[in-house]
Amino acid sequence: MRDVAKLAGVSHQTVSRVLNEHPNVRQETRARVLEAMESLDYRRNLAARTLVTRQSHTLGIIGFETTLFGPASMLYGIEDAARTAGYLVSIATFRNLERRPVLEAVDRLRQHAVDGIIAIAPKHAVTDALTQAPAGLSCVAVGGAGGGDGVPTVRVDNAGGAQLATRHLLDLGHRTVHHVAGPGDWPEAQERIAGWRETLTAAGAEVPPILPQSWNAETGYVQGQALARDPAVTAIFCANDRIALGVLRALHEAGRKVPEEVSVVGFDDMPDSGYFLPPLTTVRQDFAELGRLSLALLLQHMAGPESPAHVVVTPELVVRASTAAPPKRRSRR
């Protein structure tokens, strides 16, 4: 810092003010200091700064090893929001969605002296583990298992998204909507089932049976084959876009045209969804907004812990070419 001050012709206090983005520094002075820093390839000593301020300006993110679009996009959204806000990020991942691996991840991040932790929480075991985090360590949970006591949470309104999809299909004239569900032990899948069922019940429509399995395209393909054999099936709501991809293939192989004979809706709005054949109508989750809101909630609690807040993000229905009125309704028009 002294070398930078000497080259820029200022005091080391002025260099400190520039580093800390203090407003009371003239623009030309700031530019001269930044130029000197670049010329000397100066990098501030973060370890020394942490010792002095007792803050590392580093946030921990807990995720789990997965290729699922939703959790992976949450991770990217949180990391991007943190970096945009000027925070370094340390990531800890685990394989099993159980309490012990989550607590081990918390401990690893504490060793890096993180200021707070944001955890992706698709199951209740994650939020339950966060309630056991050391006192004074601020934690926020993001995902379908949010809303419990003790931990601030940010999540998408999964039931509301399912209602949007189901209502869209009913409004097109379909008598009922079949559902290919995600795994039964995931709160996100449970909430989407609940939203779908509530909408059908409120409309006085038949509620078809479901068989919760997994989030992958194979589930959609296998269940789609059975649905394709039933000529009464005209509308299918899938728990995510990967499931919808499998359903679309099954319908195509069975000769059931989409959307002329069967309408299909997904959930997530993966980047590829608009390029499915046909382009997929789906429920969009704003993962960037999830990241921004989770960071804002964490910073709020780091500044002064309050009673846990629970933030819910409203999803959006994106209508494309995979939905239409059922065959009889179109012929009357």
Side-chain angles (χ1 to χ4, degrees):
M1 192 178 292
R2 291 192 187 94
D3 293 336
V4 172
K6 183 177 179 180
L7 182 59
V10 298
S11 67
H12 72 274
Q13 291 95 336
T14 299
V15 175
S16 179
R17 293 190 189 99
V18 171
L19 287 170
N20 292 304
E21 300 182 355
H22 198 282
N24 295 334
V25 180
R26 288 185 299 176
Q27 189 60 38
E28 59 269 26
T29 302
R30 187 185 305 276
R32 200 161 66 247
V33 170
L34 292 174
E35 184 178 350
M37 290 170 58
E38 184 176 355
S39 176
L40 295 171
D41 194 27
Y42 172 81
R43 297 292 182 273
R44 70 193 312 172
N45 189 323
L46 294 178
R49 182 189 181 199
T50 299
L51 288 172
V52 173
T53 65
R54 295 180 179 271
Q55 292 182 331
S56 65
H57 222 62
T58 300
L59 300 179
I61 302 177
I62 296 178
F64 65 102
E65 297 178 9
T66 180
T67 59
L68 291 174
F69 174 73
S73 298
M74 288 181 194
L75 177 62
Y76 299 146
I78 296 165
E79 183 180 13
D80 183 64
R83 293 189 187 281
T84 300
Y87 280 87
L88 298 175
V89 171
S90 182
I91 300 175
T93 60
F94 53 90
R95 292 185 179 180
N96 300 317
L97 292 169
E98 298 173 357
R99 182 175 174 274
R100 176 175 288 182
V102 177
L103 289 175
E104 291 173 350
V106 170
D107 188 59
R108 292 202 304 272
L109 291 172
R110 288 183 66 209
Q111 294 175 27
H112 290 273
V114 297
D115 297 333
I117 291 176
I118 300 175
I120 297 171
K123 290 189 177 182
H124 291 298
V126 180
T127 50
D128 291 345
L130 292 180
T131 63
Q132 304 301 314
L137 179 63
S138 297
C139 297
V140 168
V142 184
D149 295 332
V151 179
T153 60
V154 179
R155 64 184 183 87
V156 168
D157 182 0
N158 288 286
Q163 290 168 355
L164 286 174
T166 308
R167 193 176 301 118
H168 169 66
L169 292 166
L170 292 176
D171 288 346
L172 287 171
H174 296 275
R175 291 185 176 182
T176 190
V177 178
H178 289 73
H179 182 43
V180 183
D185 59 344
W186 282 55
E188 289 175 331
Q190 295 166 2
E191 292 170 5
R192 292 172 196 180
I193 291 171
W196 160 78
R197 181 178 285 122
E198 289 169 7
T199 305
L200 291 180
T201 301
E206 176 191 354
V207 180
I210 58 171
L211 181 62
Q213 287 190 344
S214 74
W215 293 113
N216 60 36
E218 182 181 5
T219 289
Y221 179 66
V222 172
Q223 295 197 32
Q225 288 178 314
L227 292 171
R229 289 192 290 269
D230 184 351
V233 173
T234 64
I236 304 172
F237 164 49
C238 303
N240 73 358
D241 291 350
R242 293 175 70 177
I243 291 175
L245 179 62
V247 167
L248 288 173
R249 176 180 170 181
L251 291 170
H252 173 75
E253 290 181 354
R256 301 289 302 276
K257 294 182 179 180
V258 178
E260 290 85 354
E261 296 178 58
V262 183
S263 290
V264 178
V265 178
F267 203 113
D268 279 343
D269 194 24
M270 293 168 48
D272 298 336
S273 298
Y275 298 92
F276 286 9
L277 190 63
L280 184 66
T281 294
T282 186
V283 178
R284 181 175 183 267
Q285 302 190 67
D286 191 340
F287 294 107
E289 181 67 4
L290 279 173
R292 288 190 292 269
L293 290 173
S294 62
L295 176 64
L297 188 57
L298 178 64
L299 296 180
Q300 174 187 329
H301 279 260
M302 285 166 51
E306 304 172 0
S307 58
H310 305 297
V311 179
V312 178
V313 178
T314 302
E316 171 192 2
L317 181 69
V318 180
V319 179
R320 297 193 179 102
S322 67
T323 53
K328 290 182 179 180
R329 177 64 60 90
R330 278 201 307 277
S331 65
R332 284 199 295 267
R333 290 177 180 175

